[in-house]
Amino acid sequence: MIARRFGALAGVLALLALGACGTNSDSGGGGDAVQEFYDGKTVKLIVATAPGGGFDTYARVIAKHIGEHIPGQPNVIVENMPGAGHMVAMNYMYNQAPKDGTVIGNATGGLALQQLFGSERVQFDMTKFNYLGQPDPAGNTVLVVRRGAPVKRFEELLTPGGPQLVVGVQSPGSLQTDPAVLLKDVLGANIKIVAGYDGSSAIGLAMESGEIDGFVTSWHTELATTRDKFESGEWTTLIQTDKQRDPTIEAIVKDVPSVFEFTKDKTQEDLMFFGAGDPRGLTRIYFVPPNVPADRVTALQAAFDETMKDPEFLADTEKASLLIDPLTGAQVKEGFDSLLNMPADVRDQLKTLIGGES
Amino acid sequence: MNKNLRDLAFPVVLLAVSVVGFLVSLGWGFRTRIFPVIATIALAVFCVLEIVNVLVRKARTAPAESPTPTPEPVPAGMSLVEPGAATATAAFVSDAQHKAEAQAEELEGEASIDLKATLVFGAWLVTYALALYVLGFLVGGVAMTLVYMVAGRREKPVPSVLVAAGVGVVIWAMQSYAGLQIASGLFW
Amino acid sequence: MLQSLLDGLVQTLAWPAFGFLLIGMAIGFTVGILPGLGGAVTLALMLPFTFDMEPTQAFAFLLGMLSVTATTGDMTSVLFGVPGESTSAALVLDGYALSKKGQAGRALGAALFASLLGAVIGAIALVAAIPVVRPLVLSFGSPEFFALIILGLTFVATLGRGKMLRSLAAASFGLLLSTVGMDPQSGIPRFTFGSLQLWDGIGLVAVAIGLFGLPEVIDLASRRGSIAGDVTSKVSDVKEGIKDVIRHRWLLIRASLLGVFIGILPGLGSSVAQWVAYGHAVQTSKDPSRFGKGAIEGVIAPATVNNSKEGGGLVPTVAFGIPGGLTMAILLGAFLIQGIQPGTEMLTTHLDLTMSFVWMIVISNLIAVPLALMAVKPIARITTVRSSLIVPPVLLLLFIGAYSESNTMFSIVVMLAFGLLGMAMVKLDWPRAPLVLGLVLGGLAENYLFLSVSRYDWSWLTRPLVLVIIVVAVSSALVSPVRGIWLRRAAVRTVTAGEPSAKERV
């Protein structure tokens, strides 16, 4: 037992030191040319955040396993490139990264909105990247409230003269902010937005001390980290952004309506969908630059898909409490295509509501 | 005299910075500019006060002919000078203390401005940084270490090479084992 | 409670866990000595290794690493004048000054011993505070944090060691610098001059290394001697340093408690504590003028606080799942990996696990510090080595440290720029500490101010805790100038009486 534990540690260290690739010779598709190309090479996975934190953890676990599934079994290492809310990494991936398939990027797709709203700092085009996929599903965003909040059902926020909910959000443009703004400005909910909390821990503290009544988050994140709070009733959720009511929510909190049960016309639907729905859930995408040779792109996509099914990979993600329910590269691309081609009037309205000042 | 000019340069520069900062801030919305405005105004105020302070002190030091105390500095923290609080005794103390400080500085050689040496070293630093950028940390670091030690004929070849090699090993180890990310240069 | 305390101890000393503690300590020791490779980054990198471990083993590994980096990070500050982490910058001021006087051994001895005691006292305070922790933390909302930040800013006056106007100007400049970057309220970039790199603000690590480390290295390079200068190569005694700590035991205790307090309150950031402790040491000293020239209290206070705040930081992490700082945020990741839900059970049903964490911190310090103390004498000899051998490696460490903040050359540019500024400030006798304090606190102050106003309009000014803190802040701000005037009168009296007064402690 002791030996096994030390062995595990020593084994991983040795792996690192020797730069050895995986033990399986599972070559997962792609011809000899691809295999020859990757043989003996090192593939860099550029992560758009600093080390530590969920985003980086996903990347490191993927980096640990994906090499085995790429023909030629290259060595895969993680490189962090934080800055400007993932923009630095995105710009790099589009413009400077080598286009030979030796660099994979990992960032949030949330920047697509920046591109949509015409921000000058955007030097990329989300429709042109080659997408490998996303390990977790396009999340369902929910409004979480604490036990002492003055509101028990979302409808109460729509009745005139009804109670007001204080919702804490982070900085504009993030998934933890925009849905709240849209609930308020599109659906007309009586929400007071307190903006500027620096991260989820600041929001957590504000929830604990009662400074705020609620916040917006991805359901899957909460499921992994704060499930017991929902089970005990300390927290509950008032509304979700999926079009169909999510059964995993229903299992814990009964009868949580979807925003689309309150939208009154197509424009409102579009606003809620593009502003807070599925396309916003592309927050953990893996991709390579445009113009990477097609056979290598296919090989990488296949490698990604296979990694998502690899039992050893799944064992690791299980241990790290990382939800795996992947989207394929094609699905990711579809999401961005629809987002970046939304009707012009919806785009303009959205920009006014949540565009901030880009 | 020279010292007083130097003493003026810094607050004047900071004052300029505060003015520029203030003007730039005006172009933003209320919430965005309020903090920078507060900071720039505070900076400007304190800089002006400090400039006044220096000028006042300069005026008092010029004619003074006070006997110098022993090189042992009188409690040096007593440069607590506040505008409008300058009494004759305070001037005497601060003045004597200035002389003492100047002597102490020369004795310890700490604050002596060896401008040329500093400039040379500054240029060297920039070169070092460029080398790291172009050659990468591993090669650049080792190369610059060697250059530094051999160039000024500071060290004999053998210890120089050893130290440079040691540096190289440490960098390589940190990169391989500690997962440290270091730049690999423009060419490889 | 006592039972959990004992159970925790047993768990910590159990074999596999203990072994991991030692490995973690070894890694932490190496990493702490290298500037820039901070505890947080290493913790993050080591996290995947813990997947296969069981809870006590994983935490023994991580906490062993964490508590030791906090201790050894102080060593480069003292030895080379280069902050080992941004939390060790304050130690450069007096610690390196002592090295230059040939007293590196004493300074290291004091820093290490103070770290150890700080960790232990912090742990005790922690355990004692556990029953009241929940109500304590929960009574602090954005307004209270804002008041605390203001309190922190009033320390500016004390940090300046008497050059009041210059301190205030430097602090204002720091405040201005803190606004560089994206405005968190509206997402507008401020003072970024079109550079994406500046969106996240001016990096604290690069600033600390540049402002404090670079001038020292430049100074070292331009004198041909060694760090310890022309002073005899006899490295002064470690024991002297230890005795100093005992001599200043009340300062030590106060600093430890301060560290625990700051650590417990999430949302103050980890770089603040060292300056608050340093400022407190200055404020409570009989002769503030010694600071910056080798006052041993200037070593003891920050070193103590750096360790006790780690213990304090454990509390909100464990009790609420809310990390008390960057390192704690990563530790939280370890919680999730192990399937442990932080929360009230950690203080009740799983109290023994929490206690084992406390023991891990204490024990790793109990082992690491004596070992380090024994190694101090030879290590301190580095200060007698010729500068030409020291400068290149130290420079490289500076560059690597700055680089690892953002993994781009930009941070190196920042470091060089602040190095230039730092040099100017040293030569012109402008205190640098207030600048850093303004930089660190400015962002927090703005953030909490807006949150408070946004949430409560202006009624938050009348909240009881806020009022108390503001009163403390104002009175502490007045203390320094008043003391200054009083001390000056005393000095004038003795000067006119014809004898030098306060002896300069060598």
Side-chain angles (χ1 to χ4, degrees):
Chain A
M1 164 98 146
I2 300 165
R4 187 151 56 92
R5 295 291 177 236
F6 274 101
L9 184 58
V12 186
L13 278 174
L15 214 68
L16 216 68
L18 296 176
C21 312
T23 49
N24 298 337
S25 49
D26 179 15
S27 64
D32 287 326
V34 181
Q35 174 139 10
E36 256 180 61
F37 175 76
Y38 282 113
D39 187 18
K41 287 219 172 49
T42 299
V43 168
K44 276 198 223 174
L45 176 58
I46 305 260
V47 180
T49 64
F55 203 87
D56 179 70
T57 312
Y58 265 99
R60 287 181 191 273
V61 180
I62 289 179
K64 185 174 163 197
H65 293 271
I66 197 173
E68 298 166 15
H69 299 279
I70 304 177
Q73 279 87 47
N75 186 23
V76 179
I77 59 170
V78 168
E79 217 178 82
N80 296 88
M81 191 181 286
H86 298 223
M87 188 99 69
V88 170
M90 279 299 215
N91 283 341
Y92 171 81
M93 284 302 295
Y94 196 79
N95 296 301
Q96 285 135 345
K99 299 193 175 16
D100 57 1
T102 53
V103 180
I104 302 177
N106 171 220
T108 176
L111 290 175
L113 273 186
Q114 300 268 356
Q115 176 185 343
L116 187 67
F117 296 150
S119 163
E120 359 160 288
R121 281 159 207 93
V122 167
Q123 288 157 21
F124 50 81
D125 183 352
M126 296 296 277
T127 57
K128 297 223 173 68
F129 280 117
N130 289 302
Y131 293 103
L132 304 186
Q134 173 166 303
D136 52 342
N140 188 2
T141 312
V142 293
L143 175 64
V144 175
V145 297
R146 59 185 180 87
R147 188 179 268 146
V151 173
K152 295 281 173 287
R153 306 254 340 138
F154 187 73
E155 290 87 350
E156 300 175 50
L157 291 172
L158 297 175
T159 49
Q164 187 183 61
L165 192 69
V166 176
V167 175
V169 300
Q170 298 186 30
S171 39
S174 74
L175 201 55
Q176 286 76 30
T177 303
D178 295 343
V181 174
L182 290 171
L183 285 176
K184 172 168 174 256
D185 292 333
V186 173
L187 296 184
N190 189 5
I191 290 179
K192 177 180 175 132
I193 297 202
V194 179
Y197 283 98
D198 188 19
S200 49
S201 34
I203 291 211
L205 189 60
M207 282 289 275
E208 289 280 342
S209 68
E211 185 165 291
I212 57 178
D213 298 321
F215 66 105
V216 168
T217 181
S218 153
W219 172 246
H220 295 115
T221 310
E222 299 312 309
L223 207 53
T225 55
T226 52
R227 184 193 190 112
D228 57 336
K229 286 202 160 87
F230 291 92
E231 281 169 351
S232 70
E234 191 183 330
W235 283 0
T236 183
T237 172
L238 292 186
I239 198 165
Q240 54 183 301
T241 57
D242 265 2
K243 282 194 160 146
Q244 313 290 82
R245 293 191 182 191
D246 186 337
T248 60
I249 299 183
E250 190 71 22
I252 304 180
V253 183
K254 304 272 170 254
D255 198 23
V256 176
S258 153
V259 293
F260 296 102
E261 293 170 39
F262 297 98
T263 50
K264 297 193 178 62
D265 56 35
K266 181 83 173 58
T267 307
Q268 285 194 350
E269 263 180 49
D270 280 346
L271 285 171
M272 290 310 295
F273 179 69
F274 288 115
D278 275 0
R280 292 301 302 271
L282 296 170
T283 52
R284 211 185 304 277
I285 54 177
Y286 288 76
F287 56 98
V288 290
N291 299 329
V292 171
D295 54 349
R296 291 179 207 160
V297 174
T298 318
L300 289 174
Q301 285 171 333
F304 187 85
D305 292 337
E306 278 172 32
T307 309
M308 294 297 126
K309 302 191 202 101
D310 179 348
E312 285 177 21
F313 170 75
L314 290 171
D316 273 344
T317 55
E318 175 88 29
K319 273 185 221 136
S321 305
L322 305 176
L323 172 65
I324 300 292
D325 184 5
L327 299 173
T328 64
Q331 288 173 311
V332 172
K333 178 150 172 49
E334 212 183 285
F336 286 123
D337 284 341
S338 85
L339 187 77
L340 287 162
N341 290 312
M342 72 169 80
D345 60 326
V346 176
R347 179 197 66 207
D348 292 335
Q349 277 194 46
L350 211 52
K351 181 168 179 182
T352 323
L353 291 171
I354 60 175
E357 317 237 352
S358 22
Chain B
M1 205 58 171
N2 202 14
K3 184 169 192 290
N4 280 324
L5 264 182
R6 283 198 333 248
D7 281 347
L8 275 179
F10 204 68
V12 165
V13 168
L14 278 186
L15 184 60
V17 167
S18 71
V19 168
V20 170
F22 180 77
L23 293 173
V24 171
S25 321
L26 290 181
W28 298 325
F30 175 70
R31 279 199 160 189
T32 309
R33 73 169 180 256
I34 182 104
F35 231 71
V37 160
I38 294 177
T40 48
I41 291 183
L43 182 57
V45 164
F46 292 126
C47 283
V48 166
L49 287 177
E50 170 67 15
I51 292 174
V52 166
N53 185 26
V54 170
L55 292 174
V56 162
R57 249 192 323 189
K58 178 168 142 191
R60 288 184 194 280
T61 322
E65 264 282 275
S66 10
T68 325
T70 59
E72 261 252 284
V74 166
M78 295 312 113
S79 57
L80 178 68
V81 199
E82 286 144 350
T87 62
T89 15
F92 170 76
V93 172
S94 64
D95 162 62
Q97 165 221 329
H98 268 261
K99 292 229 165 82
E101 263 182 31
Q103 288 192 326
E105 281 172 8
E106 279 171 33
L107 280 177
E108 293 175 20
E110 266 191 58
S112 59
I113 285 203
D114 190 356
L115 201 55
K116 182 159 173 266
T118 313
L119 279 177
V120 167
F121 196 76
W124 152 256
L125 272 182
V126 173
T127 316
Y128 201 136
L130 280 172
L132 291 178
Y133 177 56
V134 172
L135 298 173
F137 273 64
L138 190 55
V139 176
V142 172
M144 295 315 267
T145 306
L146 263 176
V147 167
Y148 181 83
M149 291 194 292
V150 169
R153 246 176 285 122
R154 290 182 177 83
E155 294 290 333
K156 301 192 192 54
V158 172
S160 305
V161 170
L162 280 178
V163 173
V167 166
V169 166
V170 168
I171 301 177
W172 177 82
M174 290 207 290
Q175 188 183 17
S176 311
Y177 294 103
L180 181 71
Q181 241 172 275
I182 62 176
S184 43
L186 292 179
F187 304 115
W188 52 75
Chain C
M1 173 93 112
L2 202 57
Q3 186 57 40
S4 314
L5 208 56
L6 290 171
D7 286 339
L9 180 59
V10 166
Q11 283 180 32
T12 311
L13 294 177
W15 175 242
F18 195 64
F20 281 106
L21 187 73
L22 294 175
I23 297 181
M25 281 169 52
I27 298 181
F29 197 95
T30 329
V31 163
I33 297 206
L34 304 168
L37 251 198
V41 172
T42 319
L43 211 56
L45 293 173
M46 293 295 150
L47 206 55
F49 290 129
T50 64
F51 285 2
D52 289 315
M53 301 183 197
E54 286 173 15
T56 17
Q57 299 167 357
F59 286 108
F61 179 59
L62 294 171
L63 284 173
M65 198 173 10
L66 192 58
S67 39
V68 169
T69 44
T71 308
T72 55
D74 300 340
M75 287 175 80
T76 33
S77 297
V78 170
L79 283 175
F80 304 118
V82 175
E85 309 195 24
S86 60
T87 49
S88 306
L91 270 156
V92 170
L93 293 177
D94 283 275
Y96 189 60
L98 282 170
S99 287
K100 285 200 277 196
K101 290 188 186 167
Q103 296 179 35
R106 178 181 170 216
L108 281 178
L112 289 171
F113 194 57
S115 298
L116 173 60
L117 289 185
V120 169
I121 298 179
I124 298 177
L126 197 57
V127 170
I130 282 184
V132 299
V133 133
R134 262 197 90 93
L136 177 69
V137 174
L138 293 183
S139 50
F140 279 81
S142 298
E144 284 76 18
F145 280 117
F146 178 68
L148 278 180
I149 305 281
I150 297 295
L151 177 60
L153 280 172
T154 59
F155 269 72
V156 164
T158 44
L159 283 183
R161 288 171 284 121
K163 303 175 200 57
M164 183 99 96
L165 284 177
R166 295 181 174 186
S167 307
L168 290 170
S172 310
F173 187 47
L175 279 181
L176 183 58
L177 288 174
S178 76
T179 60
V180 172
M182 284 271 272
D183 165 24
Q185 287 292 307
S186 55
I188 298 180
R190 295 188 289 199
F191 300 122
T192 58
F193 306 112
S195 158
L196 264 188
Q197 293 291 355
L198 283 176
W199 269 31
D200 300 313
I202 298 183
L204 187 58
V205 171
V207 168
I209 294 182
L211 202 60
F212 290 99
L214 210 49
E216 303 298 343
V217 174
I218 294 180
D219 181 57
L220 181 63
S222 54
R223 324 183 255 131
R224 288 218 152 198
S226 63
I227 294 178
D230 303 318
V231 183
T232 56
S233 53
K234 166 184 170 293
V235 172
S236 97
D237 227 355
V238 169
K239 293 207 199 77
E240 182 65 29
I242 297 184
K243 277 195 232 153
D244 280 313
V245 173
I246 300 180
R247 213 176 294 154
H248 293 280
R249 55 187 174 279
W250 291 114
L251 176 66
L252 178 79
I253 292 180
R254 287 196 306 268
S256 309
L257 295 178
L258 195 60
V260 171
F261 182 66
I262 295 183
I264 286 187
L265 293 178
L268 288 179
S270 43
S271 304
V272 177
Q274 54 177 332
W275 297 113
V276 173
Y278 188 81
H280 175 72
V282 172
Q283 229 178 9
T284 53
S285 140
K286 294 187 189 56
D287 182 7
S289 64
R290 289 178 300 109
F291 283 82
K293 303 195 183 71
I296 198 72
E297 301 98 298
V299 170
I300 296 177
T304 313
V305 127
N306 271 343
N307 275 59
S308 58
K309 78 166 179 354
E310 293 300 333
L314 255 189
V315 174
T317 314
V318 156
F320 301 104
I322 294 170
L326 190 56
T327 45
M328 288 301 150
I330 297 167
L331 210 61
L332 202 56
F335 272 92
L336 294 178
I337 292 176
Q338 296 294 333
I340 299 180
Q341 284 276 16
T344 22
E345 303 103 57
M346 287 299 287
L347 297 181
T348 48
T349 41
H350 291 311
L351 190 58
D352 56 338
L353 188 59
T354 308
M355 290 299 165
S356 71
F357 294 166
V358 177
W359 279 114
M360 284 167 197
I361 294 183
V362 171
I363 291 180
S364 52
N365 271 288
L366 274 174
I367 300 178
V369 170
L371 283 177
L373 281 173
M374 288 193 290
V376 162
K377 218 161 179 169
I379 291 180
R381 283 202 197 285
I382 291 185
T383 54
T384 58
V385 172
R386 288 189 296 289
S387 73
S388 43
L389 285 177
I390 300 263
V391 167
V394 171
L395 265 184
L396 190 61
L397 288 181
L398 281 178
F399 282 121
I400 293 183
Y403 180 82
S404 47
E405 178 165 36
S406 70
N407 290 333
T408 62
M409 292 298 289
F410 185 77
S411 294
I412 292 190
V413 172
V414 171
M415 181 193 79
L416 289 176
F418 276 88
L420 183 64
L421 181 64
M423 280 231 3
M425 291 177 86
V426 168
K427 300 290 190 213
L428 297 173
D429 201 21
W430 276 62
R432 293 165 287 174
L435 194 153
V436 173
L437 199 62
L439 181 61
V440 166
L441 292 182
L444 290 174
E446 182 178 20
N447 195 5
Y448 286 124
L449 179 62
F450 280 133
L451 281 174
S452 304
V453 173
S454 172
R455 175 66 183 92
Y456 299 109
D457 301 314
W458 288 100
S459 63
W460 58 271
L461 278 169
T462 55
R463 284 158 65 115
L465 200 47
V466 172
L467 288 173
V468 166
I469 299 176
I470 298 222
V471 164
V472 172
V474 169
S475 46
S476 125
L478 289 177
V479 162
S480 180
V482 167
R483 278 189 95 218
I485 298 177
W486 178 80
L487 282 168
R488 191 157 43 108
R489 297 239 169 87
V492 168
R493 266 181 261 125
T494 42
V495 162
T496 46
E499 2 166 304
S501 59
K503 295 154 209 76
E504 180 89 16
R505 270 263 291 268
V506 170

